[in-house]
Amino acid sequence: MSDKTEVNLTGVKQSKGVWLVKVPKYLSHQWDKATEKGEVGTLTIGKKQGKTEVHFSLNEELTALGALGEKDASLQVPRDHPFTMNTVGGQTMAVFSHSEAGEISLEGMVVHRAECRPVVNDNYMKLKKLQIQETTKPQRLSQQLEKAITTVFKPVANHDFNVEYEKKKKSDGKMVRAERQVVLDMLFSAFEKHQYYNIKDLVDITKQPVTYLKEIMREIGTYNSKGAHKSTWELKPEYRHYQSAEEEEEMQTA
Amino acid sequence: MTSLGGSSSSTTEYTVRVPKNTSKKYNIMAFNSGDRVNCSTWTQARMERDMSARRIYGEEETQEGAAGSEFGKKQREEARRKKFGIVTREFKVEDQPWILKVNGKAGKRFKGQKKGGVTENASYYIFTQCPDGAFEAFPVNGWYNFTPLAKHRTLTAEEAEEEWGRRNKVVNHFSIMLQRRFREQERGEDEDDEGEKSGKKKKKKGGRGGDLRIHDLEDDLEMSSDDSDSSMGEDGESKTKAKKDTGKGKGKKKKKKSNEHEALEDSDDGDYEGLEVDYMSDESSSDEEPEKGKSTKGGEEHPKGIDEASESEEESEEEKQNEEEAKEEEEEEEGKKTPVQVEKKKKKDSSGESESSDDSDIEGETASALFMKKRTPPKRGGGRGSAGSSRTGSRPGTPSIDSASTSNTLRAAASKLEQGKRQTQGPSTDSPAAKRLKMEPSSQSPVPSGKTTPQPPSGKSTPSSSDVQLTEEAVRRYLIRKPMTTKDLLKKFQTKRTGLSSEQTVNVLAQILKRLNPERKNVNDKMHFYLTE
């Protein structure tokens, strides 16, 4: 259980009212391109014959669709966006923020919901068309080839990988039987790390021929043919001291 | 900030800023309107992530190294998972729900689950007004729906199902949770030695309480209660099984004993729900006594099978018979009928002949139960000009009602066939409704049997145009092969195929059966006939 974070309730105490505004994706993209200062546009709130009208106007420099700095005359993001205001309608919505430091604070209550809509004109339609074209493009493309591929899967006398393997084997040579004591030391140190080992892994660790290794293992360990650790070797109980790492005791009978 | 003066409108402009510093992530905390949450009343609140899902995702790690571990196990497990295509979803802290505790220990608790798909197609921004008048817009990172958590104890799914099964029997709902609390106490106390003793006591109390509760509502109810008892017992089985059994076993034993005596059928939950009860009427246009007998049946279909009718009528037959006879006019048929009746009763043959009492009984019942009272269709009288007029009159003319209700074509066709084949049989033209196959009370039945005894046999053999003939041989064959009820036999000789009307089929079949005198046995509460040869 992590510690509970005290929620900073100052926002609510002051009854700060905020607006929850739904903004189209392209507009939020443009806002991301804003400068450091962060100014993106102007909000005009007016009262016309008793009705409140809210209108957002995007800044000039942010209307370009392309990357910042470019002036793409062909397609521009619309500038005028009237807001449609809705009431919250009984649902209680609050805004809380949490920082990277883990502080949580309640910023305020939502008093109005709004939707930012663009003014529909030809420019906007073109923009939308472009968007749709982008999204309808399939992610995967099937392409027909003119010629059959002949560069891979050629018949080979011997594969590269195989050749390398054989060379390695030759150079390393057969595994030589080391001294019994040496091998035992190796085994015991290995079994200190883990309890169960596959014979292949042991061969890998000790670099001993399998028969020799098996002989030694039969002396000091047992083979699990069934159970959770199937087909693995483990040390005999008298050799096991898994609570304490005492090598001398393990080696006593060796 | 500029303010423009307009004539009828006043507008003010504000700059909108989208701050670039993103140290704080804004989220929406949405409550359900029904919960009536007022954030301003909160004095203190704590919130944290609900990490209970972590243990589901993160698998139990076996001891790394030394005892119990295998060399290369991790890699092998991973390879195995990849091979089988098992994709394990990662545990993302960001997506975990929030737990909000308001006003300390005694206050409310909420769980906030993240709502998906919020930022996919449109972005939400929070517009707040700064002291300098400009608006600041913050993007919403996530939307969490907060729902209140129940502080009272609830039943688990298994317990809830159990209780649902007993919903019709349990009246005292408070005891449900009381029981559960006792159970939990026992489980907890079981661990201490001392606790055990008190647990016993408590359990007995609970058991007695449970016994009381059970006995409250059940006098002689079915065994389903036993099942629920035992399941309740199993509920606390974890450690207290033996003890529980002693407590509840009493109840169970009692139950079982009572049930042994009764030998009632086990009824499942919900058996009684859709039960329709036929309305019992003591009045009738005619034949009151038979109706009484009938009314006890309730809920049965009105066209009874011959066997059902005869069996049911068994008891009432005698008394009814007398009454009927008293009502009946004297006729040849009557004379013949009574011995026939007696015979039939003894033999338990079913047939249309079996009785006017039967017939009228059924007719009476159906008449009263289904049709309007006192329908005396003229057709009926006209149709059966022969004797038994009072009887025919007494029967509220169900056949004619039937004929009215059945399709004319069927009747016409049947009557044509009959007329063509059985001209000697007299005015037996009416074909009853398709429904009223079996127990067609017709004055015809006595008529042919009374007047011309050889008729039924001839009636059987003459209409032999169709595939299936209603002959003695056929019936014999069927009965030898396997035991059948009268219903089954009738099904074999369908009216359309034999060319006989259903009344006639019934009569003829009855005659055949009388002659064959098959053996009877009761299978599934139904009387089956069979022959052994």
Side-chain angles (χ1 to χ4, degrees):
Chain A
M1 282 277 274
S2 53
D3 328 73
K4 286 276 181 61
T5 326
E6 228 359 284
V7 177
N8 183 352
L9 292 170
T10 45
V12 173
K13 295 282 188 239
Q14 296 167 2
S15 299
K16 261 208 251 170
V18 297
W19 290 359
L20 179 67
V21 183
K22 192 173 189 182
V23 171
K25 270 279 181 203
Y26 68 85
L27 196 61
S28 62
H29 276 317
Q30 299 301 105
W31 287 0
D32 289 340
K33 294 186 203 157
T35 57
E36 193 49 53
K37 217 168 128 203
E39 278 190 36
V40 293
T42 53
L43 200 65
T44 322
I45 302 176
K47 250 194 139 76
K48 281 211 177 108
Q49 285 110 12
K51 274 189 107 178
T52 320
E53 279 190 9
V54 184
H55 189 100
F56 172 74
S57 192
L58 188 63
N59 273 352
E60 178 70 43
E61 59 262 21
L62 290 172
T63 51
L65 241 191
L68 200 62
E70 284 177 25
K71 266 250 159 164
D72 192 358
S74 56
L75 220 43
Q76 285 201 328
V77 163
R79 287 196 67 193
D80 299 320
H81 297 85
F83 273 23
T84 19
M85 306 293 290
N86 307 319
T87 54
V88 167
Q91 189 185 21
T92 326
M93 281 193 283
V95 181
F96 74 97
S97 67
H98 72 276
S99 63
E100 269 138 34
E103 286 159 14
I104 304 174
S105 67
L106 214 54
E107 299 292 328
M109 304 287 296
V110 175
V111 288
H112 276 114
R113 285 185 82 151
E115 285 165 19
C116 183
R117 294 168 185 284
V119 170
V120 180
N121 48 24
D122 285 338
N123 191 31
Y124 179 67
M125 285 310 182
K126 280 192 213 139
L127 176 74
K128 273 293 162 189
K129 208 198 290 190
L130 206 69
Q131 261 182 17
I132 291 171
Q133 279 171 353
E134 286 242 4
T135 49
T136 52
K137 248 191 254 170
Q139 284 165 328
R140 303 202 170 139
L141 182 66
S142 297
Q143 199 180 23
Q144 191 182 30
L145 303 167
E146 298 88 32
K147 276 175 69 184
I149 302 227
T150 52
T151 48
V152 268
F153 298 131
K154 283 195 191 142
V156 186
N158 201 356
H159 290 281
D160 294 336
F161 172 74
N162 258 343
V163 168
E164 278 177 34
Y165 181 66
E166 277 161 22
K167 254 198 220 157
K168 189 167 160 280
K169 275 234 150 141
K170 272 249 165 96
S171 64
D172 286 348
K174 292 213 170 151
M175 293 182 279
V176 183
R177 289 190 181 196
E179 280 295 303
R180 203 185 188 85
Q181 198 53 49
V182 176
V183 178
L184 281 168
D185 286 347
M186 277 196 279
L187 286 173
F188 284 130
S189 55
F191 276 105
E192 261 171 54
K193 296 198 208 95
H194 297 275
Q195 188 178 351
Y196 301 99
Y197 277 90
N198 221 337
I199 193 69
K200 284 194 197 146
D201 300 325
L202 286 171
V203 168
D204 217 20
I205 294 170
T206 57
K207 311 249 184 293
Q208 300 295 297
V210 181
T211 40
Y212 183 50
L213 193 57
K214 269 201 194 161
E215 208 184 296
I216 298 176
M217 280 311 296
R218 247 178 254 130
E219 190 191 317
I220 60 161
T222 51
Y223 181 72
N224 288 321
S225 52
K226 300 170 197 149
H229 311 274
K230 216 162 52 144
S231 57
T232 55
W233 285 90
E234 63 172 339
L235 285 178
K236 285 190 185 159
E238 55 265 26
Y239 294 97
R240 282 188 240 157
H241 286 280
Y242 281 115
Q243 292 84 1
S244 51
E246 279 159 59
E247 295 181 280
E248 291 86 42
E249 272 174 310
E250 286 174 344
M251 306 237 304
Q252 65 189 343
T253 17
Chain B
M1 187 164 52
T2 53
S3 33
L4 314 163
S7 47
S8 60
S9 59
S10 53
T11 59
T12 37
E13 273 195 21
Y14 306 90
T15 14
V16 177
R17 280 199 302 265
V18 178
K20 283 282 180 179
N21 59 328
T22 49
S23 59
K24 278 211 270 190
K25 295 212 172 120
Y26 285 75
N27 305 284
I28 299 279
M29 182 192 283
F31 295 95
N32 206 357
S33 54
D35 298 333
R36 310 244 182 271
V37 177
N38 192 357
C39 293
S40 42
T41 60
W42 295 356
T43 50
Q44 178 228 77
R46 283 187 202 277
M47 194 149 86
E48 57 166 7
R49 289 274 186 192
D50 178 18
M51 300 294 214
S52 55
R54 196 199 276 276
R55 53 186 162 79
I56 301 170
Y57 279 108
E59 282 131 27
E60 277 295 323
E61 298 287 334
T62 49
Q63 207 178 12
E64 295 254 0
S69 74
E70 237 179 77
F71 181 78
K73 183 153 180 119
K74 259 193 173 170
Q75 291 94 314
R76 224 177 302 147
E77 283 293 322
E78 215 182 291
R80 197 162 165 274
R81 245 185 274 130
K82 272 197 195 155
K83 173 174 145 195
F84 290 121
I86 302 168
V87 179
T88 39
R89 267 183 280 163
E90 282 187 31
F91 175 84
K92 282 186 228 148
V93 185
E94 271 293 302
D95 294 344
Q96 297 311 304
W98 289 98
I99 300 254
L100 170 68
K101 294 187 186 164
V102 179
N103 295 339
K105 204 113 211 279
K108 296 196 196 129
R109 296 176 100 222
F110 295 89
K111 180 167 181 178
Q113 274 157 329
K114 191 163 189 181
K115 181 167 138 171
V118 169
T119 46
E120 271 171 15
N121 296 318
S123 356
Y124 281 96
Y125 280 81
I126 298 285
F127 275 52
T128 59
Q129 193 162 31
C130 296
D132 66 347
F135 275 86
E136 284 201 334
F138 302 99
V140 165
N141 195 262
W143 186 300
Y144 293 87
N145 287 323
F146 279 76
T147 50
L149 288 179
K151 288 187 100 180
H152 52 270
R153 303 162 94 75
T154 51
L155 300 174
T156 66
E158 290 84 22
E159 288 168 358
E161 283 211 31
E162 211 188 297
E163 294 300 331
W164 175 256
R166 283 190 280 166
R167 69 190 183 282
N168 291 324
K169 299 164 207 158
V170 174
V171 169
N172 182 13
H173 291 291
F174 294 114
S175 59
I176 296 173
M177 290 315 285
L178 202 70
Q179 283 294 305
R180 196 190 131 115
R181 226 169 283 141
F182 275 135
R183 252 178 267 143
E184 287 187 1
Q185 267 183 351
E186 289 155 13
R187 268 183 231 145
E189 286 168 357
D190 217 15
E191 275 132 34
D192 331 320
D193 291 330
E194 287 181 74
E196 280 190 12
K197 288 181 198 163
S198 52
K200 258 189 201 161
K201 285 185 203 160
K202 276 191 189 144
K203 207 212 355 73
K204 272 205 182 142
K205 235 200 246 170
R208 247 181 269 133
D211 284 342
L212 276 176
R213 170 162 69 105
I214 291 161
H215 288 311
D216 254 351
L217 309 151
E218 297 161 343
D219 300 330
D220 51 353
L221 283 190
E222 45 292 334
M223 305 214 203
S224 52
S225 57
D226 266 355
D227 297 342
S228 39
D229 282 354
S230 50
S231 59
M232 249 179 59
E234 278 157 21
D235 209 7
E237 82 185 50
S238 45
K239 287 151 194 171
T240 61
K241 194 167 191 175
K243 293 184 214 162
K244 259 213 172 227
D245 287 348
T246 55
K248 295 247 161 85
K250 289 180 204 164
K252 280 189 209 166
K253 278 180 200 162
K254 278 186 201 165
K255 282 275 159 46
K256 280 185 180 157
K257 276 186 194 162
S258 66
N259 281 321
E260 275 166 22
H261 293 318
E262 289 172 0
L264 285 173
E265 181 193 330
D266 283 359
S267 87
D268 299 320
D269 180 37
D271 263 2
Y272 296 112
E273 283 189 24
L275 197 65
E276 292 164 358
V277 181
D278 212 24
Y279 78 163
M280 329 240 180
S281 100
D282 288 334
E283 314 162 27
S284 79
S285 52
S286 62
D287 304 342
E288 285 154 358
E289 291 85 359
E291 281 164 323
K292 274 187 215 157
K294 295 267 171 71
S295 62
T296 53
K297 278 170 211 137
E300 284 181 7
E301 284 184 322
H302 83 94
K304 285 198 210 158
I306 304 167
D307 44 346
E308 287 175 41
S310 61
E311 282 166 20
S312 62
E313 298 312 304
E314 261 327 86
E315 306 145 355
S316 43
E317 241 183 40
E318 290 175 358
E319 21 169 68
K320 287 175 201 167
Q321 197 185 3
N322 297 334
E323 282 145 2
E324 283 310 304
E325 287 180 352
K327 285 185 194 170
E328 289 168 17
E329 284 184 0
E330 304 217 335
E331 305 162 3
E332 305 175 277
E333 296 97 21
E334 268 191 28
K336 284 215 175 147
K337 270 213 293 192
T338 352
V340 168
Q341 273 186 1
V342 173
E343 260 184 345
K344 288 265 170 67
K345 247 180 27 179
K346 285 181 192 162
K347 289 185 182 177
K348 283 198 188 179
D349 267 351
S350 62
S351 75
E353 299 173 16
S354 93
E355 268 347 316
S356 63
S357 61
D358 277 353
D359 307 343
S360 46
D361 289 344
I362 293 162
E363 258 189 294
E365 181 208 36
T366 53
S368 62
L370 296 171
F371 303 120
M372 299 296 281
K373 298 175 196 172
K374 306 243 178 198
R375 269 213 222 170
T376 48
K379 279 186 194 172
R380 178 67 168 150
R384 327 249 192 256
S386 58
S389 53
S390 77
R391 244 199 346 240
T392 61
S394 73
R395 299 172 202 164
T398 351
S400 50
I401 292 173
D402 294 333
S403 55
S405 54
T406 46
S407 58
N408 286 326
T409 48
L410 177 66
R411 191 177 126 227
S415 57
K416 271 186 199 161
L417 275 172
E418 288 169 24
Q419 275 167 356
K421 289 157 193 170
R422 286 204 219 157
Q423 283 164 0
T424 49
Q425 291 202 4
S428 53
T429 53
D430 281 72
S431 69
K435 282 194 223 163
R436 313 211 72 237
L437 281 175
K438 295 145 195 183
M439 267 323 278
E440 196 35 52
S442 54
S443 57
Q444 299 165 8
S445 50
V447 171
S449 65
K451 283 187 180 165
T452 46
T453 357
Q455 266 182 7
S458 66
K460 269 183 291 174
S461 45
T462 35
S464 50
S465 56
S466 50
D467 310 337
V468 178
Q469 303 183 30
L470 179 45
T471 61
E472 194 176 349
E473 290 311 303
V475 176
R476 183 192 294 267
R477 238 187 308 124
Y478 285 128
L479 289 180
I480 287 175
R481 242 187 329 138
K482 83 164 193 169
M484 300 177 75
T485 63
T486 47
K487 262 189 194 162
D488 298 333
L489 283 170
L490 280 167
K491 270 187 219 157
K492 296 282 184 191
F493 304 107
Q494 287 173 357
T495 63
K496 288 189 186 165
R497 303 188 98 205
T498 61
L500 304 171
S501 76
S502 49
E503 331 161 24
Q504 288 160 353
T505 320
V506 160
N507 301 335
V508 168
L509 189 61
Q511 291 262 326
I512 297 171
L513 285 172
K514 207 175 85 182
R515 228 172 297 123
L516 284 178
N517 195 13
E519 293 171 336
R520 313 135 189 249
K521 67 176 176 184
N522 236 326
V523 176
N524 298 337
D525 293 333
K526 286 204 178 150
M527 179 67 56
H528 284 66
F529 298 112
Y530 67 100
L531 288 167
T532 49
E533 257 160 24

